[in-house]
Amino acid sequence: MAITFLRPALAAAAAVLVLGAGLVAGTDTTADDAYAAGAPVTTTPSTTPATATQEKMVSPVGALFANGHHFCTASVVHSGAGDLVLTAAHCVQTGMSFAPGYHDGVAPLGMWTVTGVTVADGWTSSADPDLDFAFLTVQQAGNTASLESLTGANVLGTDRGFDHTITLTGYPDSTDSPVVCTGTTTRSDTYQQRVACAGFPDGTSGGPWVTGGAVIGVIGGYELGGDTPDVSYSAYFDDDIAKLYASVDG
């Protein structure tokens, strides 16, 4: 599996390529249409840097922001440096930041700037729905603490099979707090899994599928995560994402 690293100098062109390929792939709706149409979010999050004295274990799930709006969901995944976030590849934008534990319009640990993006080459070239995942490297100006030390993290779970009870979390474009559901996953295609959880509309893309402390999927994949808010999809996490993870955490 070829791997594409999107660093700040290349992010703009690469993101355009990825998003364009997603439309060419034939989806008549994206998981983030409301954001693309400029739907406003009325509450501005805090930008105060987090400190080691703040309350530990703020949720590792948070909202992705760009241009003052949250538009996708992401979560902290365990890494050696403690600075790695997982989301859907179709969520990649320029100028992203991450607000862990975002709720009621408040970012309890402030905003964390995305400084690097890593996606599979098969996603960049053809928006392969089986490769709809991305790792983001983040940092916060003036903060020496790692993000993971403040939030904790899920481990990456690969080759776990298709049948699990999971907790699914996502941030709808229209709200400033997450929606959470417990559901049972099933296989929907060779490298796709699905879960029936009501109330996961635009903006919840990238939301983690967590079981036993492991993230085994993110909302994305088939139809960029699904064309209704009540059934969500994810690429199956196998050796493709394991290799991608090793490339950024190795």
Side-chain angles (χ1 to χ4, degrees), residues 41-236:
V41 174
T42 57
T43 307
T44 302
S46 166
T47 56
T48 304
T51 69
T53 60
Q54 287 178 289
E55 183 180 356
K56 300 285 187 178
M57 300 305 111
V58 166
S59 173
V61 185
L64 283 176
F65 281 76
N67 301 316
H69 303 270
H70 66 82
F71 67 98
C72 266
T73 304
S75 62
V76 183
V77 64
H78 174 67
S79 64
D83 61 356
L84 204 58
V85 174
L86 174 65
T87 189
H90 77 262
C91 287
V92 171
Q93 300 263 351
T94 58
M96 292 185 295
S97 57
F98 176 60
Y102 185 68
H103 64 88
D104 303 312
V106 175
L109 297 181
M111 305 298 287
W112 295 69
T113 302
V114 174
T115 58
V117 178
T118 308
V119 300
D121 184 66
W123 173 262
T124 303
S125 63
S126 62
D128 183 345
D130 297 337
L131 300 172
D132 192 3
F133 38 73
F135 290 104
L136 315 178
T137 303
V138 300
Q139 66 179 18
Q140 188 178 67
N143 194 349
T144 59
S146 72
L147 176 57
E148 186 174 337
S149 72
L150 299 170
T151 63
N154 297 308
V155 298
L156 182 67
T158 61
D159 292 315
R160 299 290 183 94
F162 289 89
D163 301 316
H164 297 277
T165 299
I166 64 163
T167 299
L168 183 64
T169 307
Y171 285 83
D173 283 343
S174 59
T175 68
D176 284 324
S177 292
V179 291
V180 182
C181 172
T182 299
T184 302
T185 63
T186 59
R187 187 173 192 164
S188 64
D189 204 346
T190 305
Y191 300 110
Q192 293 286 318
Q193 51 191 336
R194 71 189 291 275
V195 64
C197 266
F200 283 77
D202 295 348
T204 58
S205 287
W209 303 28
V210 178
T211 181
V215 55
I216 61 168
V218 295
I219 295 179
Y222 177 65
E223 295 176 335
L224 301 185
D227 62 359
T228 76
D230 296 335
V231 178
S232 298
Y233 295 86
S234 171
Y236 180 65

